[in-house]
Amino acid sequence: MKPPPERTTPKKSPRSSRQQRVSSRYMRDRWEDFLSQDRRGMLMIEGVPVDHIINKYGTPIYVYVESEIRERAQRFKKTFGPEIGFQFAVKCNSNLEILRILREEGFELDCSSVGELILGLLADYKPKQLSLTNLYKNEQDLHFAVKIGVQSITADSLEDLEQIAQTAKKLKKHIDVAIRVNPMIEIGQYSTRGNKYGIPIGYIDRAIDLALKSPFVDLHGFHFFGGYVHETRVYKAVARVMVKLIKRCLDRGIRIKTLSLGGGFPAAVGDETAFPIEAMRDFTPWFHRLLERNGIVHPLRLIFEPGKSIVLNAGIGLTKVVSRKRLGLKKRMVVVDSSAYNFVPDALVQEGLHYDVLPASKMNAPRIHSLTIGGNTCDCWEIISRDLHMPKLRAGDLLAIMDVGAYAQVMASNFNTIKRAAIVLIHPDGTTKLIRRRDRYSEMFAPELDVLKLAGPNELERYNNLYRVNVDKYWRGKHGKKKNGKNGNGIR
Ligand SMILES: Cc1ncc(COP(=O)(O)O)c(C=O)c1O
């Protein structure tokens, strides 16, 4: 079967005569609206040459394209209709500015921890616009969520539900609870059997009974999340099971008010394909008919929790080649100033993942060989991408790792005690804004220095002082001023 096209909206035309179309050997449909190149063969994002971006902010750096994030959010709303609730999955990209943009687009938030609830509040969401869903929450997490009065807390197991009930009772505060259900469906290659999420449908009555018995728990809804969903028919199959369950509740006099079908909408990396969200255009009317057929006429809010499908393709990682090596007669590698661990962790986690890596400063150069991109940590398995057809590259050349707007920065670590990259947002008019700075050494060392201080303040005065003077400033002081007065790649 021919895969559906990735986009259904008309392409924007280049903004100025300086912009040229990116050669079709590199271009993919999903980047048409924001990628171009200049006459030098320099990749441009929203009409801005990438060398301008890195001269200002340094490498490695993530660039998020605001217009693409907004457009994807709007496509969801247009496809499903205004009455559907959208809760952006904070776990995939928790940047405050991105959360703010999605608030402006009318999204609420799906939070998986108290930390994410706090981020939601910092991004100016009201507590009633935040839901808390995860497999486990400790008492402190629940206390916080109940106290601020979130929209709902999702119970993932009987034990989880019991703990929610106890916390609500202790605080004497009613809380809307959704029960997470594993519908145990199998469709082609897709199956939720054995999934770690939710209570299997066969055991769900016990959870319902427990919720009804708990005086401070208001059983409000059901929730589903099924990982990566490649086919639209999965959502319909899940909805059928869930609506049957809602009907069974109604027969017992329980009115379920929300149904969340989670996220999991696909977003392509490399030459993967993903159905466009418009392929689900018939879902809302179909769902209403399903409710009617089951005699459910009371108001029921349908919720989706998209994550990567909103932001993945709107993120680009810019990194610099620092050296090149021959690994054998025909095997070549370039090393870059970023790594899978610190910059694109999915390269480690997802077997078979192949990022598109564009030669951002040499878009016009002939491609002459096959190349591996090695990251800059000392782990020998740590490769960013393999077998890329590339021009001749040397130190200083720029590369753009495409489709890194989700599950990249949030999952990146400080492995090798390397700072995680900064993030720049690029506005539709080509202006840029730093929305996260690079890590600081002082922050990276603080959790240990704090403990050491407690362990022996007198002996460790040396470290204490080091901590107090701010390690970053200390280094800068010893090694001269910032390069050109900018946040370059010097030691910071
Ligand atoms: C409860 C819940 N909702 C939504 C999402 C978002 O999934 P995706 O980024 O695949 O859309 C996740 C991801 O783990 C999740 O756990």
Side-chain angles (χ1 to χ4, degrees):
M1 201 176 66
K2 198 170 173 272
E6 282 168 350
R7 50 173 308 117
T8 55
T9 43
K11 292 169 189 170
K12 272 195 238 164
S13 48
R15 190 178 300 116
S16 78
S17 56
R18 287 182 303 125
Q19 287 175 256
Q20 301 173 348
R21 282 181 73 84
V22 171
S23 152
S24 57
R25 64 192 163 181
Y26 295 121
M27 196 57 169
R28 295 197 186 270
D29 265 8
R30 58 183 179 266
W31 314 319
E32 283 280 357
D33 277 349
F34 56 84
L35 273 199
S36 56
Q37 63 178 67
D38 67 13
R39 289 196 192 99
R40 297 173 298 159
M42 188 68 67
L43 188 72
M44 298 170 104
I45 307 173
E46 291 283 30
V48 183
V50 291
D51 56 339
H52 292 192
I53 300 174
I54 66 107
N55 285 343
K56 191 164 175 191
Y57 298 106
T59 52
I61 194 148
Y62 301 101
V63 181
Y64 295 162
V65 182
E66 181 182 359
S67 62
E68 189 62 18
I69 295 169
R70 288 191 188 275
E71 194 204 305
R72 285 180 179 266
Q74 288 160 14
R75 283 171 59 193
F76 260 87
K77 289 174 73 185
K78 215 163 148 189
T79 298
F80 289 102
E83 75 272 30
I84 306 303
F86 294 104
Q87 302 190 337
F88 175 66
V90 179
K91 69 212 80 190
C92 82
N93 185 326
S94 61
N95 182 270
L96 283 169
E97 190 70 4
I98 302 305
L99 302 186
R100 188 188 62 73
I101 288 172
L102 288 162
R103 177 173 50 71
E104 286 174 3
E105 293 300 334
F107 275 49
E108 299 174 343
L109 297 182
D110 155 47
C111 304
S112 57
S113 66
V114 166
E116 290 185 357
L117 290 177
I118 293 171
L119 283 176
L121 297 175
L122 288 172
D124 247 348
Y125 287 79
K126 305 264 179 294
K128 284 287 174 229
Q129 293 175 303
L130 311 174
S131 292
L132 178 62
T133 299
N134 210 338
L135 275 84
Y136 169 74
K137 307 98 187 158
N138 66 28
E139 207 187 327
Q140 221 177 14
D141 298 338
L142 291 172
H143 197 98
F144 183 81
V146 173
K147 204 81 196 235
I148 65 167
V150 294
Q151 182 181 115
S152 81
I153 303 180
T154 307
D156 194 271
S157 62
L158 291 176
E159 292 79 1
D160 196 22
L161 181 55
E162 243 163 50
Q163 215 184 348
I164 295 169
Q166 277 169 19
T167 309
K169 192 171 166 192
K170 214 191 264 171
L171 294 173
K172 295 195 172 39
K173 225 175 148 192
H174 281 262
I175 185 78
D176 283 339
V177 169
I179 296 176
R180 204 179 200 187
V181 182
N182 180 346
M184 306 294 273
I185 58 161
E186 269 179 1
I187 298 180
Q189 302 283 310
Y190 181 85
S191 170
T192 68
R193 287 176 195 278
N195 267 8
K196 71 175 193 175
Y197 313 113
I199 300 172
I201 187 86
Y203 298 92
I204 214 70
D205 285 339
R206 284 163 64 183
I208 294 171
D209 292 342
L210 178 58
L212 294 179
K213 267 200 310 204
S214 310
F216 288 90
V217 164
D218 296 330
L219 176 57
H220 188 75
F222 290 118
H223 182 278
F224 164 79
F225 174 70
Y228 206 112
V229 180
H230 290 278
E231 294 183 81
T232 59
R233 62 185 175 146
V234 167
Y235 291 97
K236 285 191 176 172
V238 175
R240 278 190 205 98
V241 177
M242 301 295 250
V243 166
K244 257 194 202 148
L245 180 60
I246 293 169
K247 170 75 168 90
R248 274 209 286 128
C249 288
L250 191 61
D251 293 344
R252 290 179 63 184
I254 312 159
R255 280 186 174 211
I256 297 297
K257 299 181 197 77
T258 62
L259 172 61
S260 175
L261 294 181
F265 298 96
V269 175
D271 53 14
E272 291 169 0
T273 53
F275 66 77
I277 198 57
E278 289 76 8
M280 291 198 66
R281 198 174 275 134
D282 75 332
F283 189 87
T284 306
W286 172 88
F287 182 71
H288 285 308
R289 288 196 299 277
L290 182 68
L291 290 178
E292 263 171 45
R293 272 205 307 276
N294 282 276
I296 298 164
V297 291
H298 68 270
L300 186 133
R301 186 174 186 236
L302 181 64
I303 297 169
F304 287 107
E305 300 166 355
K308 63 182 179 301
S309 50
I310 303 285
V311 288
L312 185 86
N313 303 135
I316 300 152
L318 297 178
T319 187
K320 201 182 265 179
V321 173
V322 291
S323 64
R324 51 187 177 171
K325 297 181 177 186
R326 268 186 183 275
L327 302 180
L329 208 52
K330 289 194 174 165
K331 271 190 169 252
R332 289 184 164 82
M333 179 174 82
V334 292
V335 179
V336 291
D337 63 356
S338 63
S339 71
Y341 285 97
N342 315 115
F343 200 47
V344 285
D346 261 354
L348 297 167
V349 175
Q350 284 199 43
E351 214 179 304
L353 178 90
H354 290 288
Y355 281 113
D356 288 305
V357 183
L358 310 188
S361 53
K362 286 192 166 159
M363 297 296 285
N364 289 337
R367 296 192 293 179
I368 55 167
H369 50 218
S370 166
L371 208 63
T372 291
I373 313 281
N376 65 351
T377 71
C378 60
D379 177 1
C380 69
W381 297 111
E382 194 253 296
I383 294 295
I384 291 178
S385 214
R386 289 175 200 278
D387 303 327
L388 294 163
H389 203 189
M390 278 284 184
K392 191 166 186 176
L393 296 177
R394 54 166 56 99
D397 283 332
L398 298 174
L399 299 179
I401 308 174
M402 303 304 293
D403 305 312
V404 296
Y407 303 109
Q409 192 280 328
V410 286
M411 283 172 40
S413 77
N414 293 119
F415 180 52
N416 275 201
T417 312
I418 289 174
K419 297 171 182 186
R420 288 167 304 169
I423 310 174
V424 161
L425 182 72
I426 188 155
H427 299 299
D429 65 358
T431 55
T432 54
K433 179 179 179 182
L434 188 68
I435 58 172
R436 184 185 168 100
R437 61 161 169 72
R438 239 168 267 290
D439 290 336
R440 287 186 181 141
Y441 285 125
S442 49
E443 292 159 344
M444 287 154 67
F445 303 156
E448 285 161 38
L449 289 172
D450 282 353
V451 179
L452 290 174
K453 265 197 291 182
L454 288 177
N458 296 332
E459 296 149 64
L460 296 166
E461 203 179 357
R462 214 155 47 91
Y463 297 108
N464 216 338
N465 289 340
L466 188 64
Y467 177 56
R468 230 185 0 244
V469 297
N470 178 338
V471 180
D472 301 296
K473 281 191 192 151
Y474 178 82
W475 269 105
R476 257 186 302 173
K478 285 224 152 171
H479 292 267
K481 287 211 164 82
K482 285 185 279 178
K483 236 177 157 186
N484 309 324
K486 290 171 191 139
N487 298 341
N489 291 328
I491 299 167
R492 283 203 70 217

